[in-house]
Amino acid sequence: EESLQMWDLNKRLEAYLARVKFLEEENEVLRAEIQSAKGSPAGESWRGKYEEELRALRDALDHAFKEKCTAELARDNLYEEVQQVKSRCQKEQAAREEAKKQLSLSRKELEEERRAQIWLKERAVQLEKEVEALLEVHEEEKAGLDQEIASYSQSLESFRCAPVAFQPVEVEDYSKRLSEIWKGAVETYKAEVSQLEGSLCQAKENLWKAVENNHQSQLQLQHLEKDLAGLKARKEMLEESLAQQWQEQRGEAEKFQLAMEALEQEQQSLRVQIARVLEDRQQLMHLKMSLSLEVATYRTLLEAESTRLQMPAG
């Protein structure tokens, strides 16, 4: 009965030993594979490849961050330039309004000068008419005085009286006085005419100055309009380039975000694979420990059985 039990135990022990040997061989094979994977150039290349990809992605991320910073600086510079352009446009708009005001004032002055010139022309024509009327009146008075003198001379010749009592001395004095008065009036009208001519020349000069100022104001206004159109075109170009840079930066940010998400997914899958490998290794270690304990137990049993069998012989 004991021999049957020993034979059964031996069979079971052989089975367990074969299983332990098989598991140890598998363990050795797995250990060799792990060591070869760790020390082999393929594993190193795989690891180096992923490290190189991670390094390249980090460099790309740093480069994208630097480009983002440069784009932000360019955006700030463009914003400042746009603000400067806006301020310059406002200044030129104010200058344009001021030029329009000066142009309107020049037009008003030109109208006033034209009105003054028209009034001076009318005044000169009126004075010429008055001078002609005075000359006609003077000629008529002179003709009347000549007729009176002739009538007085005829009446004096008809009377035979003393010539001293009837000499036309008073008439000649009156004629001289009238001629002096007429000369004074003519000189006065000449002075007034010369003064009006001077005023007319001054008005013409002022009119020419107003026309010249108007021309200069129109040229300045055209120059300001050209500058304003150029600044508007530059503003539109800057806004378009800024929008294009924003679009490019947004597209690059989306690409890097997708790349980061793919890397995170790959990292998560690698973590899962490493966890599975560690779990398999832990199970193998537990199985090895249990088999080692079972082998030790069977060894102790065999040693005890062998010592029991050897004791009667001794």
Side-chain angles (χ1 to χ4, degrees):
E1 189 176 355
E2 288 179 358
S3 65
L4 288 174
Q5 288 179 0
M6 286 298 294
W7 182 78
D8 190 15
L9 288 172
N10 287 326
K11 292 294 183 182
R12 289 174 65 187
L13 181 60
E14 287 177 1
Y16 278 116
L17 288 173
R19 188 179 177 187
V20 168
K21 188 177 180 180
F22 177 72
L23 291 172
E24 285 181 353
E25 288 177 357
E26 280 192 351
N27 195 7
E28 289 296 330
V29 171
L30 289 172
R31 187 179 296 169
E33 287 180 358
I34 291 170
Q35 291 296 329
S36 64
K38 286 183 178 179
S40 65
E44 291 293 332
S45 64
W46 177 76
R47 188 174 180 182
K49 182 180 178 182
Y50 278 103
E51 287 180 355
E52 187 68 26
E53 287 181 358
L54 286 172
R55 193 179 297 110
L57 287 172
R58 286 174 182 172
D59 294 335
L61 186 62
D62 293 334
H63 184 68
F65 183 73
K66 289 179 181 178
E67 286 183 352
K68 183 181 178 182
C69 292
T70 54
E72 287 179 354
L73 289 173
R75 181 193 65 189
D76 295 334
N77 292 326
L78 287 173
Y79 181 74
E80 290 178 358
E81 192 170 357
V82 167
Q83 292 296 325
Q84 290 177 1
V85 169
K86 285 182 179 179
S87 62
R88 188 174 177 183
C89 287
Q90 290 177 358
K91 289 180 181 179
E92 291 190 355
Q93 188 70 26
R96 186 177 178 182
E97 295 294 332
E98 186 66 25
K100 286 182 178 179
K101 289 181 180 178
Q102 290 181 0
L103 183 62
S104 63
L105 291 174
S106 299
R107 286 177 179 175
K108 288 180 180 178
E109 290 178 357
L110 181 63
E111 292 294 330
E112 290 178 357
E113 292 293 335
R114 287 178 180 174
R115 290 174 183 174
Q117 187 178 4
I118 291 168
W119 181 80
L120 289 172
K121 287 181 179 179
E122 291 177 355
R123 183 64 177 167
V125 171
Q126 185 178 2
L127 290 173
E128 287 177 358
K129 289 180 179 180
E130 289 179 359
V131 168
E132 289 177 357
L134 289 173
L135 288 174
E136 290 177 357
V137 170
H138 180 69
E139 291 293 332
E140 291 177 357
E141 289 180 355
K142 188 176 180 182
L145 289 173
D146 290 334
Q147 290 178 1
E148 288 180 359
I149 289 168
S151 62
Y152 281 131
S153 62
Q154 289 177 2
S155 62
L156 288 172
E157 286 179 358
S158 61
F159 293 100
R160 294 178 179 179
C161 296
V164 179
F166 294 99
Q167 288 182 357
V169 179
E170 294 179 358
V171 175
E172 290 179 358
D173 292 335
Y174 182 68
S175 177
K176 288 179 180 180
R177 287 177 65 187
L178 285 176
S179 64
E180 289 177 357
I181 291 168
W182 178 76
K183 287 180 180 180
V186 169
E187 292 294 332
T188 303
Y189 283 114
K190 284 183 179 180
E192 289 182 358
V193 169
S194 63
Q195 186 177 1
L196 289 173
E197 287 178 354
S199 300
L200 184 61
C201 292
Q202 186 69 28
K204 287 181 179 179
E205 187 177 357
N206 292 328
L207 181 62
W208 182 79
K209 287 182 180 179
V211 171
E212 186 68 24
N213 291 325
N214 189 8
H215 183 65
Q216 293 292 331
S217 299
Q218 287 180 357
L219 291 175
Q220 188 176 4
L221 183 61
Q222 291 177 359
H223 183 67
L224 290 173
E225 287 178 352
K226 289 181 180 178
D227 292 338
L228 183 62
L231 289 172
K232 285 182 178 179
R234 189 177 179 185
K235 180 182 176 183
E236 291 177 356
M237 183 178 66
L238 291 173
E239 288 178 353
E240 289 178 358
S241 63
L242 182 62
Q244 187 176 2
Q245 287 183 1
W246 270 109
Q247 292 293 332
E248 291 178 356
Q249 186 178 0
R250 188 177 297 172
E252 290 178 358
E254 289 178 355
K255 289 180 181 178
F256 282 116
Q257 186 68 27
L258 292 173
M260 289 297 294
E261 289 178 357
L263 285 173
E264 287 179 357
Q265 290 178 0
E266 189 174 359
Q267 186 179 6
Q268 190 68 26
S269 64
L270 289 173
R271 285 179 181 176
V272 172
Q273 291 179 3
I274 291 168
R276 287 178 182 176
V277 171
L278 291 174
E279 188 177 358
D280 292 337
R281 187 175 178 184
Q282 190 71 24
Q283 289 178 1
L284 289 173
M285 291 296 292
H286 284 296
L287 184 58
K288 184 179 178 182
M289 289 175 66
S290 63
L291 290 173
S292 298
L293 290 173
E294 192 172 357
V295 168
T297 304
Y298 279 107
R299 281 178 182 176
T300 53
L301 288 174
L302 288 172
E303 288 175 358
E305 188 66 26
S306 62
T307 51
R308 189 178 66 78
L309 290 173
Q310 289 174 4
M311 282 177 68

